[in-house]
Amino acid sequence: MDCRTKANPDRTFDLVLKVKCHASENEDPVVLWKFPEDFGDQEILQSVPKFCFPFDVERVSQNQVGQHFTFVLTDIESKQRFGFCRLTSGGTICLCILSYLPWFEVYYKLLNTLADYLAKELENDLNETLRSLYNHPVPKANTPVNLSVNQEIFIACEQVLKDQPALVPHSYFIAPDVTGLPTIPESRNLTEYFVAVDVNNMLQLYASMLHERRIMIISSKLSTLTACIHGSAALLYPMYWQHIYIPVLPPHLLDYCCAPMPYLIGIHSSLIERVKNKSLEDVVMLNVDTNTLESPFSDLNNLPSDVVSALKNKLKKQSTATGDGVARAFLRAQAALFGSYRDALRYKPGEPITFCEESFVKHRSSVMKQFLETAINLQLFKQFIDGRLAKLNAGRGFSDVFEEEITSGGFCGGKDKLQYDYPFSQ
């Protein structure tokens, strides 16, 4: 899990709400129903409903904005809490599940089940389903879990379903392994992003994120909008966006677009004229509906051309479009740009391992050197280095797909002593 995701949350979800939207923005949405009934965090109960209708409710309907989307709240420990939503009744009702687990596909499917129960007025089944999941320990990745409800719901990994095809007719969920690379079509976010945005704009957006710009993504479909935000951010792995992160901005928070610091914000197209009337400075804007990107910067030109060219060629190959091909192409680019961090680690017996910025930058091509001189000041890179040093100095080895990509691609000096001084694998 990433450093913005809470490790070991207490429950699979914290709250489910049924919220009604008024015909006017001047009236706050109303909570019609909640589970559990004794949920007492008033701040959450007041803030979440305002995120449930992040569009101009006086101008558009659900048919125009779509059904599913996911907003994010950031807690006092800078951990992300996800609000998985499904609009019903023409966009006037929203079902929302609040959870620390980034289980997009699982919760979208559960929302469909809940909406079906409500439509059929099966409130007992709905409550029993939620109670079973709420009281169940958080399942580990790829661990099958049975919830005993009238219509059995099955949480399982794909392999279990392949091994036991009799389970397929049941309503089931896949307990995701969020530590792996996202795959197409299993990852709804990455799939929608890859389908909606062409390769050139994906590259431009990636470059802007690596320069920590103010970035705004616009779409008329909420599902596509939030998928593009979550999907593009995931391609920074093993780094994570460290600044303002609002996958879909509700009307009452539009002033965030004027923030002087970097941000990654999603805006429904019904609100964009209001946003443009504000004083926006140096904002990168990607309109997903028209597949156009406007930027006052030349961020892509600042990246080494060989890295960009290799990434572009990989993304345009048909074979890349399924499985982990897209995620692995960006992983290879990240390894090419940052993999030599290993060569800049410094070790002296009896002292903590440190990172030498000067060593990281020098002995590189002029374009790469220029990029790295900027990169060492990025929050996402600082956070990455701090995380690696913390693990090394705590005596914990680590091995992940990024380290494997560095080794297989030969993106570090390959000094033998690294394998002994710095335990990259457990």
Side-chain angles (χ1 to χ4, degrees):
M1 286 195 180
D2 80 51
C3 58
R4 303 298 300 275
T5 304
K6 186 172 183 176
N8 306 313
D10 297 332
R11 297 184 180 279
T12 50
F13 68 88
D14 300 310
L15 177 68
V16 178
L17 291 178
K18 180 182 179 183
V19 184
K20 180 178 176 59
C21 175
H22 288 291
S24 168
E25 264 182 36
N26 297 325
E27 298 180 75
D28 287 341
V30 177
V31 175
L32 300 178
W33 169 88
K34 64 179 179 179
F35 180 95
E37 291 183 7
D38 60 354
F39 187 89
D41 189 329
Q42 291 304 310
E43 185 178 349
I44 290 292
L45 290 173
Q46 289 174 14
S47 64
V48 166
K50 294 179 181 179
F51 279 83
C52 290
F53 305 95
F55 52 92
D56 188 330
V57 296
E58 298 173 19
R59 289 179 51 199
V60 296
S61 67
Q62 180 204 320
N63 293 335
Q64 294 167 287
V65 303
Q67 276 191 331
H68 296 115
F69 62 95
T70 302
F71 64 83
V72 167
L73 302 179
T74 304
D75 67 17
I76 57 173
E77 296 176 344
S78 296
K79 301 302 181 185
Q80 293 177 344
R81 211 176 197 184
F82 301 88
F84 302 96
C85 295
R86 185 187 194 276
L87 294 171
T88 63
S89 306
T92 60
I93 299 292
C94 180
L95 297 176
C96 177
I97 299 174
L98 197 65
S99 173
Y100 278 107
L101 294 167
W103 288 5
F104 293 88
E105 294 74 26
V106 167
Y107 286 122
Y108 284 156
K109 189 159 187 174
L110 178 58
L111 284 166
N112 291 341
T113 301
L114 299 183
D116 190 46
Y117 283 154
L118 287 172
K120 295 176 182 176
E121 298 183 352
L122 300 173
E123 291 194 13
N124 287 340
D125 286 359
L126 183 147
N127 282 310
E128 191 177 345
T129 299
L130 291 177
R131 195 175 300 111
S132 296
L133 187 55
Y134 185 77
N135 292 327
H136 199 287
V138 178
K140 294 180 180 180
N142 300 324
T143 302
V145 178
N146 275 303
L147 299 178
S148 60
V149 245
N150 289 348
Q151 180 183 5
E152 182 180 272
I153 293 179
F154 194 82
I155 299 182
C157 68
E158 289 178 282
Q159 191 58 49
V160 169
L161 296 170
K162 289 174 184 174
D163 294 344
Q164 303 179 51
L167 296 173
V168 174
H170 295 302
S171 178
Y172 66 88
F173 299 126
I174 297 169
D177 179 0
V178 296
T179 61
L181 291 177
T183 58
I184 294 175
E186 290 77 18
S187 168
R188 180 165 169 173
N189 291 334
L190 184 56
T191 303
E192 285 204 53
Y193 178 48
F194 190 65
V195 169
V197 180
D198 67 29
V199 168
N200 287 333
N201 285 335
M202 287 180 76
L203 294 173
Q204 294 273 7
L205 188 63
Y206 169 65
S208 294
M209 293 173 76
L210 286 181
H211 286 77
E212 295 189 330
R213 304 297 188 191
R214 298 181 190 87
I215 301 170
M216 196 179 294
I217 298 181
I218 303 135
S219 177
S220 58
K221 295 293 184 184
L222 291 173
S223 60
T224 303
L225 177 62
T226 58
C228 286
I229 294 280
H230 294 300
S232 60
L235 297 177
L236 291 173
Y237 179 86
M239 296 164 197
Y240 303 95
W241 186 258
Q242 298 296 322
H243 301 277
I244 294 172
Y245 183 80
I246 309 177
V248 58
L249 192 68
H252 72 288
L253 295 180
L254 290 184
D255 284 343
Y256 269 76
C257 296
C258 302
M261 66 282 291
Y263 59 63
L264 183 56
I265 289 177
I267 304 278
H268 186 262
S269 57
S270 64
L271 301 172
I272 194 59
E273 291 308 316
R274 283 195 245 175
V275 170
K276 287 183 176 179
N277 288 334
K278 299 180 181 293
S279 56
L280 302 179
E281 293 185 11
D282 296 336
V283 175
V284 177
M285 300 184 73
L286 171 63
N287 188 317
V288 178
D289 296 342
T290 60
N291 213 336
T292 54
L293 186 142
E294 301 173 23
S295 174
F297 309 104
S298 301
D299 292 333
L300 193 58
N301 293 335
N302 293 336
L303 299 185
S305 59
D306 57 332
V307 176
V308 174
S309 178
L311 176 56
K312 186 174 183 177
N313 290 338
K314 189 72 173 172
L315 291 175
K316 290 198 168 184
K317 285 186 177 179
Q318 190 69 34
S319 59
T320 303
T322 55
D324 67 1
V326 172
R328 194 162 287 280
F330 278 94
L331 182 72
R332 168 63 62 114
Q334 290 288 80
L337 292 172
F338 302 106
S340 62
Y341 89 91
R342 285 188 191 175
D343 296 332
L345 296 174
R346 294 292 173 262
Y347 172 75
K348 291 182 181 179
E351 295 183 14
I353 297 171
T354 58
F355 175 74
C356 178
E357 292 182 356
E358 183 182 353
S359 176
F360 179 58
V361 171
K362 71 179 183 180
H363 305 313
R364 312 301 294 270
S365 68
S366 58
V367 177
M368 179 66 90
K369 184 176 181 179
Q370 190 174 357
F371 169 71
L372 294 181
E373 284 174 343
T374 302
I376 57 177
N377 295 310
L378 297 173
Q379 285 299 311
L380 57 83
F381 182 69
K382 288 177 179 289
Q383 196 74 28
F384 166 75
I385 292 297
D386 287 349
R388 288 307 203 236
L389 289 177
K391 288 180 179 178
L392 290 171
N393 286 316
R396 301 200 310 271
F398 55 86
S399 177
D400 56 30
V401 287
F402 181 63
E403 299 299 336
E404 291 167 5
E405 195 69 33
I406 293 173
T407 301
S408 65
F411 295 120
C412 69
K415 299 172 187 175
D416 290 338
K417 75 180 185 67
L418 279 171
Q419 301 304 316
Y420 298 100
D421 291 346
Y422 314 128
F424 288 108
S425 59
Q426 296 183 41

